[in-house]
Amino acid sequence: MTIQQVLLLLLLWMWLSHPCHTEMLFRRTPDLRPKSFGGRASGNDGKAIHRQKRGWMWNQFFLLEEYTGSDYQYVGKLHSDQDKGDGSLKYILSGDGAGTLFIIDEKTGDIHATRRIDREEKAFYTLRAQAINRRTLRPVEPESEFVIKIHDINDNEPTFPEEIYTASVPEMSVVGTSVVQVTATDADDPSYGNSARIIYSILQGQPYFSVEPETGIIRTALPNMNRENREQYQVVIQAKDMGGQMGGLSGTTTVNITLTDVNDNPPRFPQSTIHLRIPESSPVGTAIGSVKATDADTGKNAEVEYRIIDGDGTDMFDIVTQKDTQEGIITVRKPLDYETRRLYTLKVEAENTHVDPRFYYLGPFKDTTIVKISVEDVDEPPIFSRSSYLFEVHEDIELGTIIGTVMARDPDSASSPIRFSLDRHTDLDRIFNIHSGNGSIYTSKPLDREISQWHNLSVIAAEINNPKDTTRVPVYVRILDVNDNAPQFAVFYDTFVCENARAGQLIQTISAVDKDDPLGGQKFFFSLAAVNPNFTVQDNEDNTARILTRRNGFSRHEISTYLLPVVISDNDYPIQSSTGTLTIRVCACDSRGNMQSCNAEALLLPAGLSTGALVAILLCIIILLVIVVLFAALKRQRKKEPLILSKEDIRDNIVSYNDEGGGEEDTQAFDIGTLRNPAAIEDKKLRRDIIPETLFVPRRTPSAPDNTDVRDFINQRLKEHDTDPSAPPYDSLATYAYEGNDSIAESLSSLESGTTEGDQNYDYLREWGPRFNKLAEMYGGGESDKDTS
């Protein structure tokens, strides 16, 4: 069957099913005059209104879409009752698509579609038709409007707005739980036939999911789907039009469904017993290790809280939950001691923090494990019996007195002996010392509370077997006061008495200070060393005293200055006292007692020098004497005659000795026979004329051959002496019989000289250069002196 035959049958079926649409021709009216149409209607004025009956009339046209024939598609025919068939009338078409999409035969009124029409682009077209007289061009029928409606065919398949959908549903959901709804659309006419009626079905994803045919809602089809077994599912949904009947068009989409997690799995420890180790020296807060319970769930459903619920180490250890890793970190809570306890057992519980009540029936969401912690022994430093020590001692104790004892022990089972020492950085003056064996601290220098009341020491304890492991402890030494200082005047008093003073007149108020600090406070007593006819002391009993005159009138011309010894004593045991001399000047005063002038001679008199001033003056005198003695000694030393007689005698290297050697007869300093007999036995001998500073082991050197030249022999020995640390020092004198090459100055020796001193001529010395000018002057001058004598 061809396509045209199928379309023809479809069109025939449409006409049969819609008989009102088959009337395509105009119905003729008797005339163009107004006639009544099926009844009357009463107007407002009571007159009858008659409707004019039209000369042509038609219903809407219907056109099948997607026409595939080769000829123009026939739409319908316009016909007027005025048409006699003689061609005098002309049919005109206007409106949507007139002249382009739709054309009309002017003579017959037949309407055709020039191309294939798609209803999805436009469902109907509105046109206007008119019949006119061809000769007069006047309308014979009034213009009338009609509609060409496009009949739909099933030419569009259902489509989904998304090619791939993503959805999720909680695991363990009941059957029928809604997952997601997918909706497809069909561009065909939903009001005509079943072209747009869509039915949904599932092509892939059974038996886990199902879809409602009419709504496209996807629902779970199996109970208790477990995410831990399978998490991802892919479902393919088909949407088919024509009510799902055979021949309908269809479209598909893919839905990726993920099972989301719920807390349906309790935590589980992989091991029933866990073993950990920790050194006993680990400080508090040290992490020993971790425990972890596995949970098949994810996210917050897998969050676990750890705690210690039982065991013999609940007070020694803590456990902290690490949120990012979901581990339980076990830490040290209290200091450990291998010698006290070596093994601890803990019972650790892991429990989910977010439990879903719907799954209580699955059992308790917790688990336990046993953690055994072994404490390892380490070589610990010594431990003092206290964290700090405080000793109190009086400042007047004797040297070597023990002020206290520190105690320390080795906490290890070996119990190694302890050695004590003082950190000298805390006792720079070395006032204290400690017994290294028993830790007794004693004094090595006198104590003085007035210099330092507290001494903060640091004692170090170390094991004898392992001196590197040390422990320090602070020791505070408080020096208790002893009444060992006498009171003195608080300040220097410049006291004067007026010439016109009367008996009993107050001239000065004095006070005293004491370096000591007695427990009951300071109390001073003032008195005169001897009865004085001029002045007296009155104790105020408040650590002050008043100086009063005992007679009327004083004369500065007779005595310008009085010295008044005042005895100051304290009330502590033992009683300490001192005598302070108060210098009182006699001055001229006005009637109010204000000083005007004093005798100038009084200023020249000694004002009672203190002991410190006298000591300072004596030290200055001694230093001056020492400087004078040193200066005289240095000057005497410089007067010694130097080896160099003149500064003009310049030499490269000058070595001066204050003694001479023994000459050739001195065989102890050097054996001259060695030079003459190189093959002689080399036996290092120490010099007997000097005491060597350091003894070195003699070093054997190979003997020179018999035919070795003396020059080579000497060079060899010289090299050996330069590199030998046991050789004599560099400033030692070594004499050799070989003199070397001849000098241009010839020999200066007077040995074997046949001339006498008077016959010798030294003028040639001046020709040798400036180095010999001094010799030329000495010897030339001697000759001239002899001549003058």
Side-chain angles (χ1 to χ4, degrees):
M1 184 179 292
T2 63
I3 295 177
Q4 287 133 351
Q5 292 175 344
V6 172
L7 291 176
L8 184 58
L9 290 176
L10 183 58
L11 182 60
L12 180 60
W13 172 78
M14 291 171 58
W15 283 345
L16 292 176
S17 61
H18 301 280
C20 61
H21 293 165
T22 60
E23 187 178 355
M24 305 294 292
L25 301 177
F26 298 108
R27 290 182 298 173
R28 175 156 181 201
T29 58
D31 51 29
L32 295 177
R33 292 175 297 176
K35 295 181 180 179
S36 65
F37 183 77
R40 289 186 173 184
S42 177
N44 294 334
D45 54 359
K47 297 180 180 180
I49 300 175
H50 297 274
R51 181 178 179 184
Q52 182 180 2
K53 188 174 181 180
R54 302 180 61 176
W56 61 342
M57 182 177 177
W58 60 86
N59 294 325
Q60 60 182 353
F61 292 107
F62 294 92
L63 184 63
L64 193 65
E65 69 168 337
E66 303 294 343
Y67 173 72
T68 57
S70 58
D71 298 333
Y72 289 164
Q73 185 178 5
Y74 181 75
V75 177
K77 183 180 182 65
L78 297 180
H79 183 73
S80 176
D81 292 344
Q82 300 295 328
D83 189 1
K84 305 299 183 179
D86 55 359
S88 61
L89 295 183
K90 179 180 180 182
Y91 296 96
I92 300 173
L93 187 64
S94 62
D96 295 339
T100 56
L101 180 59
F102 300 102
I103 59 175
I104 189 171
D105 190 336
E106 296 179 353
K107 294 181 179 180
T108 62
D110 292 331
I111 302 173
H112 292 81
T114 60
R115 61 180 176 83
R116 186 172 59 180
I117 300 175
D118 190 358
R119 190 204 66 83
E120 286 71 34
E121 294 180 359
K122 194 168 184 179
F124 61 90
Y125 296 85
T126 303
L127 295 95
R128 292 180 299 277
Q130 190 177 29
I132 62 173
N133 191 301
R134 190 181 295 274
R135 291 190 299 272
T136 63
L137 300 179
R138 291 182 179 180
V140 296
E141 294 285 354
E143 187 180 44
S144 181
E145 185 178 84
F146 65 97
V147 175
I148 300 178
K149 186 175 182 182
I150 308 302
H151 263 304
D152 183 45
I153 64 172
N154 190 18
D155 59 344
N156 293 279
E157 69 278 1
T159 59
F160 290 92
E162 299 290 340
E163 293 183 2
I164 298 177
Y165 288 84
T166 301
S168 62
V169 63
E171 62 172 335
M172 308 298 290
S173 296
V174 298
V175 176
T177 301
S178 176
V179 180
V180 69
Q181 181 179 14
V182 293
T183 304
T185 58
D186 196 324
D188 294 327
D189 188 2
S191 62
Y192 181 77
N194 294 326
S195 299
R197 183 187 174 191
I198 300 175
I199 297 297
Y200 300 94
S201 61
I202 185 169
L203 300 182
Q204 178 182 330
Q206 294 175 333
Y208 307 103
F209 299 94
S210 62
V211 63
E212 293 183 358
E214 300 292 338
T215 61
I217 298 176
I218 302 175
R219 299 182 182 273
T220 57
L222 284 181
N224 300 329
M225 286 192 292
N226 197 343
R227 184 197 64 85
E228 287 72 34
N229 296 332
R230 183 177 177 183
E231 184 176 3
Q232 299 288 338
Y233 294 87
Q234 190 175 72
V235 178
V236 178
I237 301 297
Q238 181 190 61
K240 190 173 184 180
D241 58 11
M242 297 298 292
Q245 298 177 4
M246 185 179 296
L249 303 179
S250 63
T252 60
T253 187
T254 301
V255 182
N256 293 327
I257 302 175
T258 303
L259 295 183
T260 58
D261 185 57
V262 297
N263 193 5
D264 59 339
N265 293 280
R268 289 289 181 264
F269 283 104
Q271 298 174 347
S272 60
T273 304
I274 300 174
H275 295 273
L276 299 175
R277 295 181 178 272
I278 181 69
E280 63 173 333
S281 60
S282 300
V284 174
T286 302
I288 304 174
S290 62
V291 295
K292 185 174 183 179
T294 59
D295 194 323
D297 299 321
T298 60
K300 69 176 184 178
N301 296 319
E303 292 182 1
V304 178
E305 188 72 24
Y306 298 90
R307 57 178 174 269
I308 300 174
I309 60 175
D310 196 6
D312 54 8
T314 55
D315 59 336
M316 300 296 296
F317 303 96
D318 280 330
I319 188 167
V320 180
T321 303
Q322 197 77 18
K323 295 298 183 181
D324 54 348
T325 60
Q326 289 299 304
E327 292 179 334
I329 308 299
I330 301 176
T331 59
V332 179
R333 185 176 181 181
K334 292 182 179 180
L336 303 174
D337 189 5
Y338 173 82
E339 289 70 27
T340 303
R341 192 179 186 89
R342 303 182 182 183
L343 181 64
Y344 294 91
T345 301
L346 304 176
K347 187 175 183 179
V348 177
E349 180 185 74
E351 183 179 11
N352 281 135
T353 57
H354 300 86
V355 181
D356 194 338
R358 296 177 299 172
F359 305 103
Y360 278 153
Y361 67 92
L362 295 178
F365 285 81
K366 62 179 67 175
D367 194 17
T368 59
T369 187
I370 301 298
V371 179
K372 293 185 177 181
I373 301 176
S374 300
V375 180
E376 297 178 344
D377 186 26
V378 296
D379 192 1
E380 298 177 275
I383 298 177
F384 283 94
S385 60
R386 301 179 188 174
S387 59
S388 63
Y389 293 86
L390 173 63
F391 300 133
E392 294 182 345
V393 61
H394 288 88
E395 60 178 327
D396 61 343
I397 62 173
E398 297 180 358
L399 296 182
T401 302
I402 296 176
I403 64 173
T405 302
V406 296
M407 292 182 293
R409 64 178 180 86
D410 183 10
D412 298 324
S413 57
S415 187
S416 175
I418 306 299
R419 182 186 299 275
F420 299 93
S421 62
L422 275 177
D423 186 356
R424 289 304 175 185
H425 292 89
T426 60
D427 184 25
L428 297 176
D429 297 331
R430 295 182 177 269
I431 299 175
F432 301 95
N433 211 337
I434 189 171
H435 193 282
S436 61
N438 57 22
S440 299
I441 301 176
Y442 58 91
T443 59
S444 58
K445 288 184 179 181
L447 303 177
D448 192 349
R449 188 201 68 85
E450 287 71 36
I451 296 177
S452 179
Q453 185 177 357
W454 286 92
H455 295 273
N456 300 326
L457 308 178
S458 180
V459 176
I460 304 172
E463 296 180 13
I464 295 180
N465 298 333
N466 188 10
K468 294 183 179 180
D469 287 340
T470 61
T471 305
R472 294 172 178 263
V473 66
V475 177
Y476 307 105
V477 181
R478 181 183 180 184
I479 309 301
L480 301 178
D481 184 42
V482 174
N483 192 25
D484 57 348
N485 291 279
Q488 298 176 349
F489 282 130
V491 294
F492 173 76
Y493 295 101
D494 186 11
T495 308
F496 70 92
V497 60
C498 295
E499 289 181 316
N500 56 358
R502 296 181 181 181
Q505 183 176 343
L506 174 64
I507 63 172
Q508 184 70 57
T509 300
I510 60 176
S511 62
V513 292
D514 194 339
K515 295 181 180 179
D516 295 322
D517 187 15
L519 297 178
Q522 293 180 344
K523 180 66 177 177
F524 303 127
F525 301 96
F526 300 88
S527 63
L528 293 179
V531 178
N532 191 292
N534 301 312
F535 306 97
T536 184
V537 175
Q538 183 178 355
D539 196 336
N540 297 329
E541 296 183 358
D542 59 354
N543 293 340
T544 63
R546 297 188 298 171
I547 307 297
L548 304 175
T549 59
R550 297 188 65 180
R551 65 183 178 88
N552 295 328
F554 292 88
S555 176
R556 55 178 172 168
H557 298 289
E558 295 177 1
I559 299 177
S560 61
T561 303
Y562 293 92
L563 300 179
L564 183 62
V566 179
V567 178
I568 311 172
S569 59
D570 55 23
N571 67 336
D572 203 0
Y573 180 82
I575 297 176
Q576 300 287 341
S577 63
S578 66
T579 301
T581 301
L582 192 64
T583 303
I584 304 175
R585 295 183 297 162
V586 180
C587 301
C589 303
D590 57 12
S591 59
R592 297 182 180 179
N594 297 324
M595 182 182 64
Q596 290 183 344
S597 64
C598 297
N599 192 349
E601 295 179 359
L603 300 176
L604 300 176
L605 294 177
L609 295 176
S610 63
T611 304
L614 293 176
V615 172
I617 293 173
L618 183 60
L619 288 177
C620 291
I621 294 173
I622 293 174
I623 292 173
L624 289 175
L625 290 176
V626 172
I627 293 174
V628 171
V629 172
L630 291 176
F631 182 79
L634 292 174
K635 188 173 182 181
R636 184 179 179 183
Q637 183 71 20
R638 293 177 180 175
K639 287 183 178 180
K640 291 184 178 181
E641 183 178 357
L643 179 64
I644 303 175
L645 300 178
S646 174
K647 294 182 180 180
E648 296 179 2
D649 191 3
I650 302 173
R651 298 180 181 174
D652 292 337
N653 295 310
I654 300 176
V655 181
S656 177
Y657 296 90
N658 295 328
D659 56 80
E660 296 181 358
E664 295 181 356
E665 295 180 358
D666 185 6
T667 60
Q668 300 299 328
F670 187 81
D671 189 6
I672 196 65
T674 306
L675 291 176
R676 298 189 176 93
N677 186 13
I681 299 175
E682 296 182 4
D683 192 7
K684 293 287 183 177
K685 296 180 180 181
L686 298 177
R687 293 183 59 173
R688 298 179 182 177
D689 56 335
I690 60 174
I691 298 176
E693 296 179 358
T694 306
L695 296 179
F696 295 88
V697 179
R699 181 169 57 88
R700 304 291 298 178
T701 56
S703 301
D706 294 340
N707 58 353
T708 302
D709 186 65
V710 176
R711 182 201 301 256
D712 298 335
F713 177 78
I714 292 175
N715 291 334
Q716 180 182 354
R717 288 296 182 267
L718 180 61
K719 183 176 181 181
E720 292 175 358
H721 278 275
D722 289 341
T723 58
D724 189 4
S726 63
Y730 294 108
D731 57 353
S732 297
L733 180 64
T735 304
Y736 297 92
Y738 184 80
E739 293 183 353
N741 296 330
D742 296 335
S743 173
I744 59 174
E746 300 180 356
S747 177
L748 299 178
S749 176
S750 61
L751 298 177
E752 300 178 358
S753 176
T755 62
T756 62
E757 183 179 358
D759 298 335
Q760 184 69 31
N761 185 10
Y762 296 98
D763 294 336
Y764 61 90
L765 293 175
R766 302 182 182 275
E767 301 175 359
W768 290 357
R771 293 176 180 264
F772 298 90
N773 289 341
K774 187 63 179 178
L775 289 176
E777 292 176 2
M778 291 172 57
Y779 286 91
E783 184 177 355
S784 61
D785 294 338
K786 186 183 291 185
D787 295 340
T788 56
S789 62

